[in-house]
Amino acid sequence: MSRQRHQVKPTSARPIRTPAELVETGLVTAEDVAGIEAVAQRYAIAISPAMAALIDRCDPNDPIARQFVPDAAELIATPEERDDPIGDLAYSPVEGIVHRYPDRVLLKAVHVCPVYCRFCFRREMVGPQGLGTLSPEAMDRALGYIADHLQISEVILTGGEPLMISPRRLAEIMQRLAAIDHVKIVRFHTRVPVVEPERIDKALIAALKTSRKATYVALHANHPRELTPPARAACARLVDSGIVMISQSVLLKGVNDDSDTLAALMRTFVETRVKPYYLHHPDLALGTGHFRLTIKEGRALVAGLRGRISGLCQPTYILDIPGGHGKAVIGPDAIRQDDAGCFTVSDFKGGGHAYPPAD
Ligand code: SF4
């Protein structure tokens, strides 16, 4: 649905959560709201004040609005889509843990978010109708599972949004992880520095750190406009405290599916001292077909980044294999081998070169 929004209206100081508030704030027209009501029955809505302020209400194709403003197309599911597109549940030995790879686990403590992204791959699990917050007993069992499995060296707090947990509770979780000798790295997957930058304060940063483990923060952002001055300042506070930041983005039709936007996004991450890490091909989540481009299109876009932005700015293009089989790198191949065993390497302009060279 292409939205023709009202002219700029005052932005709310609190998150927008209902179809009526979308209309009041000029993000959805009175004519379109009926279709949105049906979406709201099924999927949570939240647009933080920072993101609501960033939306250009005069642009019916605004890439920020597209990520957060619900669309009637979300009720159209295609046969290949599924409610657990990356197979979390198949690899969950105890509540709150996903153990897919030998050396690392996901710890999903909460299933609420400060924004609800319309393309979210866990959209059936997050929000008020989602899986909820781990009870103290379930958290004990999840941490017990990590303690019992000596091969786990990395714990990834994801969600839902782990930085929605209070600093006091986060510090407690970090202290309990710090007491497990074989856990060396704790990683947080978050959208907070962008969508609620004011939340990144001294108390939260102190809670994320422990002298005995390395803390990584993976920032989820999909368009360079999301890296506003307050968002950059929030990232600077994290990096200056010694936390390493990496990025993750989703390749999304109508948001970042052109090489100028992608290049600008990756450069902006690097300027912000966030190392580009993953560019996800969109998952087969229910009702997200309007965001999906083909892998062929994705590979062409990623190939276009080579030579255009530095190696430091290059993300790895990946696909989560449906069914829970993990991630696969799906970027363009720079080298191919013929039947005689000879290699041809492509340069950044698309030229081919024999390797080793004939002369
Ligand atoms: S913040 Fe993350 S978990 Fe929450 S809706 Fe967005 S993508 Fe999903």
Side-chain angles (χ1 to χ4, degrees), residues 343-358:
F343 288 101
T344 302
V345 193
S346 303
D347 65 32
F348 72 93
K349 294 176 186 159
H353 306 272
Y355 185 86

Side-chain angles (χ1 to χ4, degrees), residues 55 64 79 96 108 126 138 176 180 192 245 262 275-276 286 289 293 320 347:
I55 293 171
I64 310 301
K108 301 199 288 183
V126 298
R176 293 180 71 182
I180 303 173
V192 161
M245 289 193 75
L262 267 188
K275 171 71 187 89
L286 291 172
L293 57 172
D320 264 287
D347 65 32

Side-chain angles (χ1 to χ4, degrees), residues 41-351:
Q41 302 278 320
R42 168 122 200 217
Y43 297 114
I45 298 169
I47 308 176
S48 65
M51 291 300 99
L54 206 54
I55 293 171
D56 177 357
R57 285 154 173 80
C58 298
D59 178 1
N61 300 309
D62 181 80
I64 310 301
R66 188 159 167 82
Q67 294 181 65
F68 303 116
V69 177
D71 191 308
E74 292 173 45
L75 296 177
I76 303 167
T78 59
E80 71 274 17
E81 291 177 347
R82 37 186 88 192
D83 55 6
D84 181 17
I86 71 165
D88 278 355
L89 297 178
Y91 286 84
S92 182
V94 296
E95 187 185 354
I97 293 283
V98 178
H99 195 177
R100 204 183 319 271
Y101 306 97
D103 67 332
R104 54 204 183 274
V105 289
L106 303 183
L107 174 56
K108 301 199 288 183
V110 290
H111 289 88
V112 292
C113 302
V115 289
Y116 288 104
C117 310
R118 309 323 302 170
F119 51 85
C120 176
F121 66 120
R122 295 203 176 104
R123 59 190 332 214
E124 309 292 330
M125 303 175 194
V126 298
Q129 296 157 337
L131 298 182
T133 299
L134 280 194
S135 66
E137 297 74 25
M139 180 59 86
D140 287 347
R141 286 192 291 275
L143 293 171
Y145 180 89
I146 295 169
D148 288 345
H149 289 76
L150 302 186
Q151 73 271 37
I152 297 171
S153 60
E154 184 172 351
V155 175
I156 301 162
L157 278 102
T158 183
E161 170 54 73
L163 300 195
M164 293 291 274
I165 302 170
S166 71
R168 186 187 58 75
R169 269 197 69 220
L170 269 179
E172 191 186 305
I173 294 169
M174 283 300 277
Q175 279 157 17
R176 293 180 71 182
L177 289 172
I180 303 173
D181 279 345
H182 54 269
V183 172
K184 307 293 183 194
I185 302 160
V186 183
R187 195 194 324 169
F188 292 85
H189 281 189
T190 181
R191 222 147 161 31
V192 161
V194 158
V195 303
E196 227 180 276
E198 64 282 3
R199 196 179 272 270
I200 308 293
D201 60 12
K202 280 188 183 153
L204 183 67
I205 292 171
L208 299 181
K209 293 175 58 178
T210 138
S211 58
R212 281 175 284 167
K213 311 292 173 194
T215 301
Y216 280 68
V217 167
L219 172 66
H220 172 187
N222 304 310
H223 192 279
R225 271 177 47 215
E226 291 171 51
L227 279 299
T228 59
R232 291 179 190 223
C235 292
R237 291 194 289 278
L238 287 162
V239 175
D240 288 346
S241 79
I243 290 172
V244 181
M245 289 193 75
I246 56 177
S247 76
Q248 52 175 348
S249 305
V250 188
L251 192 51
L252 297 166
K253 195 184 272 187
V255 175
N256 55 20
D257 61 332
D258 67 90
S259 50
D260 287 346
T261 303
L262 267 188
L265 174 62
M266 298 304 154
R267 266 202 211 100
T268 306
F269 279 137
V270 173
E271 283 168 26
T272 312
R273 294 183 284 163
V274 177
K275 171 71 187 89
Y277 178 49
Y278 276 158
L279 178 63
H280 296 262
H281 190 76
D283 295 308
L284 294 171
L286 291 172
T288 60
H290 53 300
F291 284 109
R292 238 171 357 258
L293 57 172
T294 65
I295 286 179
K296 187 176 175 191
E297 290 166 330
R299 282 167 66 103
L301 283 166
V302 172
L305 295 179
R306 282 183 63 217
R308 183 180 175 137
I309 48 175
S310 75
L312 195 56
C313 300
Q314 301 288 336
T316 302
Y317 182 34
I318 55 153
L319 172 73
D320 264 287
I321 305 169
H325 305 290
K327 292 180 171 59
V329 176
I330 59 167
D333 301 318
I335 193 162
R336 61 178 192 279
Q337 189 174 24
D338 65 19
D339 293 344
C342 300
F343 288 101
T344 302
V345 193
S346 303
D347 65 32
F348 72 93
K349 294 176 186 159

